Amino acid sequence: MEYSKYLPLSEASFYMLAALTEPSHGYAIMQKVEAMSGGSVTIGPGTMYGAFNTLEKQKLIAKVAEEERRKIYALTELGREVLTEQVRRLEIMVKSAHAALDLGRAA
Amino acid sequence: MKKVWKWWWAWQDREHEQWLAAQSCQGLHLRRVGALGLLHYFEEGAPADNIYRWDFKLSGGKADYRQLFLDAGWELVGDVGGSWLCWRKQAGTGQPQEIFTDRASLIAKYRKLFLTMVVPGLAVVPIILLDQGLWRDMLAGSIASAGVFGLGAFSFALTALGGWAIWRRMKEI
């Protein structure tokens, strides 16, 4: 499976996918993302609504229910794979950057 | 309720938001807008530090979109044909003060505006301006044709100016 066309995920999409491992509606995701990121990432409703549309079109998330005008989304299997691949790539990046910075300090 | 007329163009949304915030500081709080967003109905009250943000929607701002904004603490205080929506939030609550929190989504708003307002204008108006019959009549001294041409040329210039302003705004983000 080729995931490159989905990657890299934007910070907002990344956190939204991570939050959607449990089905949630928009506002719940906002709160979850803020908690997950230790308050460093906040997603405004305009950004989130646009990301819902994009991620749904890409079939990374899917609407599973609707409660009082709130759409509830969940991660799809493809969404899970893309998130996993993004995490794998990020880990490589973090590891190599640490190594490079350490090397730079030692020299 | 105080009625205030103020002319503003689609590419002056940021300036208009700041003007609305300045009115709130003087105790005039937007309730709704009319006449394509040029007529403002203000509620008079205590001065407050409010943030106003205009969003541009083609889909008319569906129920789930509006609910998401309400949940996030934004109040709808202006609706121009379901395509321009003015949202308000109290400043200094510690909550996010922007409806768009990354560059990509903010740029997308202006791109949408550019594609819906500027591109069709720039594409259609020249067809009118370059119409041979119109030129023939105008050269024959028809005032009506000259009027049509003048109006077309004016719309074209305005669209071009708007397009340039929106483009510049996108580049600044």
Side-chain angles (χ1 to χ4, degrees):
Chain A
M1 184 73 194
E2 188 47 63
Y3 299 114
S4 292
K5 67 171 170 174
Y6 306 104
L7 299 173
L9 295 167
S10 71
E11 197 173 34
S13 302
F14 179 84
Y15 276 108
M16 280 171 71
L17 291 185
L20 282 171
T21 47
E22 283 175 288
S24 317
H25 60 70
Y27 186 56
I29 299 173
M30 283 179 195
Q31 291 174 309
K32 245 191 249 183
V33 168
E34 210 170 336
M36 258 195 283
S37 68
S40 72
V41 177
T42 53
I43 305 178
T47 297
M48 176 161 289
Y49 195 77
F52 274 151
N53 286 337
T54 310
L55 295 172
E56 195 177 18
K57 225 174 279 169
Q58 293 178 319
K59 297 190 166 38
L60 302 185
I61 62 171
K63 192 180 95 172
V64 291
E66 193 158 349
E67 281 171 17
E68 292 177 48
R69 298 186 297 277
R70 291 180 187 92
K71 284 186 182 170
I72 296 172
Y73 290 96
L75 202 59
T76 61
E77 198 43 53
L78 177 63
R80 184 176 293 273
E81 288 167 17
V82 168
L83 181 62
T84 306
E85 174 63 10
Q86 175 71 84
V87 170
R88 191 186 70 83
R89 292 188 186 190
L90 284 172
E91 276 169 346
I92 296 171
M93 285 164 72
V94 169
K95 221 187 291 175
S96 32
H98 275 309
L101 287 169
D102 287 345
L103 196 69
R105 208 169 289 136
Chain B
M1 202 76 89
K2 190 178 169 189
K3 284 205 283 186
V4 179
W5 284 93
K6 184 177 167 63
W7 188 277
W8 61 287
W9 298 102
W11 57 86
Q12 293 170 324
D13 56 341
R14 279 275 147 170
E15 292 78 0
H16 189 253
E17 288 165 358
Q18 284 160 11
W19 178 74
L20 289 171
Q23 303 308 303
S24 259
C25 288
Q26 293 169 24
L28 291 177
H29 310 298
L30 191 66
R31 260 292 115 216
R32 60 190 176 92
V33 292
L36 296 172
L38 305 179
L39 179 57
H40 306 78
Y41 294 88
F42 288 109
E43 212 167 43
E44 292 172 68
D49 200 1
N50 283 326
I51 303 161
Y52 292 87
R53 290 290 177 260
W54 282 100
D55 194 9
F56 178 66
K57 297 299 290 180
L58 295 176
S59 52
K62 294 181 189 141
D64 61 324
Y65 162 88
R66 293 172 186 234
Q67 189 62 49
L68 183 60
F69 276 67
L70 292 173
D71 285 346
W74 294 86
E75 185 188 357
L76 186 64
V77 292
D79 183 342
V80 183
S83 58
W84 280 96
L85 299 153
C86 187
W87 296 96
R88 175 173 65 206
K89 187 183 233 181
Q90 208 183 325
T93 52
Q95 286 182 316
Q97 317 242 303
E98 293 292 343
I99 59 174
F100 294 109
T101 43
D102 62 22
R103 290 178 62 225
S105 56
L106 188 55
I107 290 172
K109 169 187 154 180
Y110 290 109
R111 191 188 303 123
K112 202 160 50 181
L113 191 61
F114 194 86
L115 290 176
T116 30
M117 301 184 77
V118 182
V119 173
L122 291 183
V124 172
V125 176
I127 297 172
I128 303 168
L129 295 184
L130 297 176
D131 184 77
Q132 287 190 1
L134 187 69
W135 276 89
R136 210 169 38 229
D137 292 349
M138 205 161 45
L139 294 174
S142 160
I143 294 171
S145 305
V148 169
F149 185 84
L151 206 62
F154 177 71
S155 333
F156 185 79
L158 199 60
T159 312
L161 174 72
W164 177 72
I166 295 170
W167 188 260
R168 218 181 40 170
R169 180 139 298 186
M170 274 165 67
K171 294 286 146 202
E172 281 168 2
I173 294 169

